[in-house]
Amino acid sequence: IECAKRINKAKRVFVIGIGQMELIAKKFADSLSLLSKNTVCYTELGFSKLSEIHSISKQDVVITFSINKELVEFQDFFIALKEKRVHSTLFTDKKTGRLRKHVDMSFHASSTGNGMVNCITPFIVVTNILESILFSMDKHVHLGKVKNIEKKWNSLPIFLE
């Protein structure tokens, strides 16, 4: 709930997911946009240069999704965020790791590592829970927005027929 509160109060929310996490990052950013959050989503390497690290402020929040690898770019980015006192949250499949010590908050999404669906399913569940909390906190959410989210979810390639 603390993570949702920080997102809710943020001026801007930066969402980052590389590789397999691209789908998760885009879905989460889309849900935040439905809540009228000012959202920036990065899904490719080089995001730290694109993110205008100098313009990110204490009023912003950075949400990052990481699986399998702990990219050096993430580590350097988190260190820079910490120096600027920007709140950062990491969702990762690692129980321990060097990235976790550089963020304000981290969540473990247990992954079996066998195939893409098994790898990303825990991240889908975690983000769905976070999205539900955020929607319950928003006084302006109405049925139309919820239906738009449902359409987005159903259009994602993770649902098997």
Side-chain angles (χ1 to χ4, degrees):
I1 292 181
E2 184 61 33
C3 181
K5 286 180 183 177
R6 288 180 189 257
I7 291 170
N8 208 28
K9 291 179 185 176
K11 178 181 169 187
R12 292 178 298 178
V13 181
F14 290 82
V15 181
I16 303 167
I18 310 297
Q20 292 179 34
M21 294 292 96
E22 177 180 347
L23 179 69
I24 302 298
K26 284 181 176 178
K27 177 192 152 307
F28 188 64
D30 286 346
S31 293
L32 292 177
S33 294
L34 287 171
L35 285 166
S36 301
K37 299 306 281 167
N38 186 353
T39 308
V40 179
C41 185
Y42 295 116
T43 58
E44 295 183 19
L45 290 174
F47 64 84
S48 58
K49 290 177 180 44
L50 294 172
S51 68
E52 305 165 18
I53 187 74
H54 303 293
S55 72
I56 295 179
S57 70
K58 287 189 246 185
Q59 291 85 19
D60 300 325
V61 169
V62 176
I63 308 292
T64 308
F65 300 97
S66 175
I67 193 166
N68 297 333
K69 296 179 182 175
E70 294 195 332
L71 300 172
V72 173
E73 185 174 8
F74 278 137
Q75 184 175 335
D76 296 343
F77 185 64
F78 291 145
I79 291 169
L81 290 175
K82 202 166 221 166
E83 288 172 4
K84 293 185 66 120
R85 301 174 125 183
V86 175
H87 181 78
S88 57
T89 300
L90 171 68
F91 291 88
T92 180
D93 64 333
K94 305 276 185 220
K95 285 186 180 179
T96 60
R98 61 179 184 235
L99 291 182
R100 292 183 82 147
K101 67 182 178 184
H102 297 295
V103 295
D104 300 303
M105 196 177 288
S106 65
F107 296 94
H108 176 244
S110 182
S111 170
T112 62
N114 297 324
M116 184 172 174
V117 172
N118 288 336
C119 288
I120 67 171
T121 299
F123 289 90
I124 293 168
V125 172
V126 170
T127 55
N128 284 352
I129 292 168
L130 184 53
E131 289 163 4
S132 297
I133 294 168
L134 286 163
F135 275 89
S136 71
M137 296 169 87
D138 190 305
K139 296 173 188 156
H140 306 295
V141 169
H142 53 80
L143 192 55
K145 285 186 177 181
V146 173
K147 285 183 180 176
N148 285 340
I149 290 173
E150 189 176 308
K151 273 190 214 170
K152 273 230 181 280
W153 287 351
N154 289 337
S155 70
L156 294 174
I158 55 168
F159 295 99
L160 304 175
E161 295 184 31

